Every structure is written in C-alpha cells, then in structure tokens.
Amino acid sequence: PRREIIAEILSQIDRLDLIAYGCLQTATLHRRSGTPVVASDWLKRAAVALGRAEASAAHSLELAALEMRVSPAKAARRLRRLMDSSQGLTPSERARTLYWQARCAQAVGDAQAATEAMEACLDWVARSGADQAVAPEFRADADARRMLETGFASHPTAGRLLERVRLMEAYARHYDPRARAEVQGAPIEFLALGQSAIRVAGQQSDGLKPMAREVAFYLLDAGPVERDA
C-alpha cells in the first residue's frame, strides 16, 4: 500500500527534485520487498527526473544495492568510488555505504573483509547516530541480520540495531490488516471463574490433557519473563 500511495503522490506534483526523490524511495521499498526488477524501473525514472549524467550519492547507493544481487564485485567498485569521491556523504549515506561494502564482501565469500566493513559500519553508526539509515536494511535482509547476531553479539550498536528491527517488525504486524485478521481469527480464551475452560477461536478445547491445561493456566498467571531476567 505504501508504494501505491507514493505513486499517487508523484502523479500530483510537478517539482522534478521531489519526483526524483519519490521514485528513489519507491525503488528502495520495492528492493526491500523482494521485487528488484520493479525497483530498477523506479530507479530509472529517478534518473530521468534528475536529468543529469552524474548520479547523486543516494542514487548510487541504490544502484549498488541492486547490483549486489547479481554482481557484488561491480557493486563494490561503485561503493569504493563513492567513498573516495569529492562529494561529501551525509552520515546516513556513509553508514549505508559501509553497510553495503560489508554485504558485498559477504556475497563474494570474503569473511574477513565483511567483518571489517561491518565493524566499521557499526562504529560509524555509534558515532553518528545513523541507526535508522541501516536498520531497515537489516530488517529486509536475513543474511545481514544473521551476520549481526552471530558475529557482533557483544557490540553495543548491534544490540541497539536488532532491538530497532524488532520494534519495526512489531509495528508492521500491528498495522498490517492481514496479520491482525489472522490473529483475530483464532484467539485463545482462558475462563477461570467458576468451571475453568480454554477456548480456541470460540470452540471448547476438550482434547487438552489435564497436565497441559494446568501448565497453560500457570503460564498465563506467571506472565511473560523479562528479557534481562
């Protein structure tokens, strides 16, 4: 829905810089959603709207992100040029450049280079506060998140990013009509006043063994365990 909303907004404005920005953001959303071909089309529209030969840093980053899927070496060269260019990168752009350098190294099997680049990314995020620049990438990329969880468990910035990713997923589930409909379709009800009972989607769960019922009521009464416990 968000992609369609952006497309509708773009049809209502006539400033080329805003059109280019909207096309670029739509390309990013499609890439993260797993539709790189559509993302590439939106990226081309962004380039047409800009109307210049030299791409912006944000545009180059999105190109590298798409290239990483098919040619990590080519993406890595683009990222090196971006880091070495005279045009200054914003803190968020630098964070994303370091992130994609780590992912390119990981894609070609260079574990040491991937670790070094990811550590540089985390250190930069810690100094600049650019968490939100890379958190959506970790959310969309299981391999990158696994790398963060297994290789940087003791890094404080890694923990902060993973927590942000979990919050993003929680909000997405909360506002996703399909997810909410699924949850509402099969609620579990505990009736503890009078004769105790457990209902699933409104139906009596007579098949539960006594021990299972006792454990279920115990867990309900005990409540969730705090993460730090």
Side-chain angles (χ1 to χ4, degrees):
R2 186 180 173 188
R3 296 190 293 270
E4 284 72 15
I5 291 172
I6 293 178
E8 178 63 24
I9 292 172
L10 291 177
S11 68
Q12 304 297 322
I13 59 179
D14 56 5
R15 279 182 50 187
L16 293 181
D17 58 332
L18 293 179
I19 292 175
Y21 175 80
C23 291
L24 186 60
Q25 295 303 308
T26 306
T28 301
L29 288 171
H30 274 287
R31 173 180 56 77
R32 291 173 181 164
S33 299
T35 50
V37 174
V38 181
S40 180
D41 289 340
W42 278 102
L43 206 53
K44 292 174 183 175
R45 293 172 187 168
V48 171
L50 286 172
R52 62 188 187 202
E54 185 179 354
S56 65
H59 193 276
S60 294
L61 276 168
E62 198 55 39
L63 271 176
L66 288 173
E67 289 171 345
M68 196 275 295
R69 295 168 174 263
V70 293
S71 179
K74 182 178 180 180
R77 290 194 295 271
R78 184 183 298 277
L79 293 167
R80 280 196 298 272
R81 290 196 300 270
L82 195 57
M83 289 290 282
D84 296 339
S85 67
S86 57
Q87 67 176 114
L89 297 176
T90 67
S92 294
E93 289 168 347
R94 184 177 179 84
R96 292 186 64 206
T97 302
L98 292 167
Y99 168 86
W100 285 114
Q101 284 183 324
R103 287 294 288 116
C104 287
Q106 187 182 27
V108 298
D110 191 338
Q112 182 178 351
T115 299
E116 291 174 355
M118 186 60 75
E119 186 170 11
C121 175
L122 295 176
D123 290 343
W124 174 253
V125 168
R127 293 197 302 271
S128 64
D131 303 51
Q132 193 55 38
V134 293
E137 303 296 352
F138 283 110
R139 182 184 173 227
D141 193 329
D143 289 337
R145 195 193 306 194
R146 196 175 303 113
M147 179 183 183
L148 200 63
E149 292 170 338
T150 58
F152 298 90
S154 60
H155 200 294
T157 306
R160 197 169 74 230
L161 284 170
L162 289 171
E163 180 62 25
R164 186 177 286 265
V165 169
R166 284 189 285 268
L167 285 172
M168 292 167 68
E169 291 178 336
Y171 277 115
R173 286 192 298 270
H174 180 73
Y175 290 105
D176 183 356
R178 289 172 299 179
R180 295 177 68 181
E182 290 172 3
V183 172
Q184 292 170 2
I188 300 177
E189 299 174 287
F190 290 83
L191 305 178
L193 295 176
Q195 185 178 4
S196 64
I198 299 176
R199 295 176 182 171
V200 179
Q203 301 296 318
Q204 194 82 9
S205 58
D206 297 326
L208 279 178
K209 295 181 179 180
M211 180 63 75
R213 288 168 55 86
E214 290 183 19
V215 170
F217 274 101
Y218 169 78
L219 292 174
L220 178 68
D221 184 61
V225 178
E226 294 293 334
R227 183 173 301 157
D228 295 332

